[in-house]
């Protein structure tokens, strides 16, 4: 269950579909299926957790089992979502999300280890979520599109490994935002992969005229 934190800015859940404030409004996306946000720990309200899951499922999972990453996305579960005031940057907040997924047969490469493409998929979609969360909690657009990422592979992960994907925001500007991510073996704590992700806010076509 989520706990309250009076220091956090907790705006009312948005129901507007206007694009004047958000290029993509998380509240306008369909609800993520089979998600019980009350099982996700963290200090943000349940509506914010739901909106983050909505964005993750809309872009990282999709609505058809014919779409890339559908099975992996549906198997990935968030276990914590939090926003804290940074101890190093006065007046700044940092969003953090933690997700988990077990390595299954369809995630393996020819050597029987977690495929690098699966790692990149998980990083792209999971590392985006702390930015979405921070945007929801601060009244900004945290969705955007991926501009680039730098991924380091540290150790293999065989079938049955439970991956813990820890992502946190770094910076959030009006056009460019960044996050970091670590994928670790939950049982051993060994780092499987780490990455930095850059996202950008697309310019609406009408603003270019």
């Amino acid at each position: 269950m989520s706990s309250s934190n009076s220091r956090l800015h907790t705006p009312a859940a948005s129901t507007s579909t206007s694009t004047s404030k958000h290029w993509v409004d998380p509240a306008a996306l369909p609800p993520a299926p089979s998600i019980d946000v009350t099982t996700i720990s963290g200090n943000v309200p349940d509506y914010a957790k739901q909106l983050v899951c909505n964005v993750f499922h809309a872009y990282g999972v999709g609505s058809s089992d014919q779409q890339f990453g559908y099975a992996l996305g549906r198997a990935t579960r968030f276990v914590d979502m939090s926003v804290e005031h940074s101890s190093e940057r006065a007046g700044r907040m940092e969003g953090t999300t933690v997700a988990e997924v077990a390595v299954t047969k369809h995630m393996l490469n020819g050597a029987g280890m977690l495929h690098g493409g699966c790692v990149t998929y998980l990083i792209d979609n999971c590392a985006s979520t702390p930015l979405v969360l921070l945007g929801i909690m601060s009244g900004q657009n945290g969705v955007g599109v991926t501009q680039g990422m730098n991924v380091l592979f540290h150790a293999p992960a065989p079938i049955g490994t439970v991956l813990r994907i820890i992502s946190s925001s770094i910076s959030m500007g009006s056009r460019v935002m960044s996050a970091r991510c670590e994928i670790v073996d939950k049982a051993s704590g060994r780092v499987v992969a780490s990455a930095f992700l850059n996202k950008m806010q697309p310019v609406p076509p009408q603003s270019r005229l």
Side-chain angles (χ1 to χ4, degrees):
M1 298 293 289
S2 62
S3 60
S4 61
N5 187 330
S6 59
R7 296 179 302 163
L8 298 181
H9 171 59
T10 54
S14 172
T15 57
S16 171
T17 58
S18 170
T19 57
S20 60
K21 186 176 181 181
H22 295 282
W23 179 68
V24 173
D25 186 350
L29 296 173
S34 305
I35 298 295
D36 180 4
V37 296
T38 64
T39 64
I40 302 174
S41 63
N43 66 352
V44 297
D46 286 347
Y47 82 80
K49 297 172 185 177
Q50 183 66 60
L51 294 181
V52 172
C53 290
N54 293 354
V55 174
F56 177 83
H57 275 256
Y59 293 100
V61 182
S63 57
S64 168
D65 60 7
Q66 299 300 306
Q67 291 173 298
F68 179 80
Y70 180 83
L72 176 54
R74 285 183 65 89
T76 304
R77 297 289 175 174
F78 287 93
V79 297
D80 188 89
M81 296 185 187
S82 299
V83 172
E84 301 286 351
H85 286 272
S86 172
S87 59
E88 299 177 354
R89 297 177 294 175
R92 300 290 294 275
M93 293 194 298
E94 182 177 277
T96 301
T97 65
V98 181
E100 293 181 354
V101 65
V103 177
T104 55
K105 184 177 180 180
H106 73 276
M107 296 164 61
L108 303 179
N109 60 21
M113 297 295 170
L114 177 65
H115 197 292
C118 280
V119 171
T120 305
Y121 165 89
L122 288 169
I123 290 170
D124 186 18
N125 290 284
C126 290
S128 298
T129 57
L131 299 171
V132 175
L133 177 62
L134 191 59
I136 292 167
M137 299 306 297
S138 62
Q140 302 178 67
N141 180 4
V143 181
V145 296
T146 299
Q147 186 180 41
M149 68 178 80
N150 183 14
V151 182
L152 296 176
F153 300 93
H154 303 284
I159 191 169
T161 303
V162 177
L163 304 175
R164 189 168 173 87
I165 307 151
I166 306 160
S167 307
S168 57
S169 62
I170 299 174
S171 63
M172 195 162 185
S174 59
R175 286 281 291 145
V176 178
M177 46 194 172
S178 303
R180 64 175 69 87
C181 181
E182 275 193 353
I183 299 180
V184 303
D185 180 332
K186 184 179 179 180
S188 67
R190 180 178 59 177
V191 179
V192 174
S194 62
F196 289 95
L197 175 75
N198 264 24
K199 297 183 75 72
M200 64 178 293
Q201 306 292 358
V203 178
Q206 61 269 25
S207 67
R208 300 175 185 165
L209 299 179

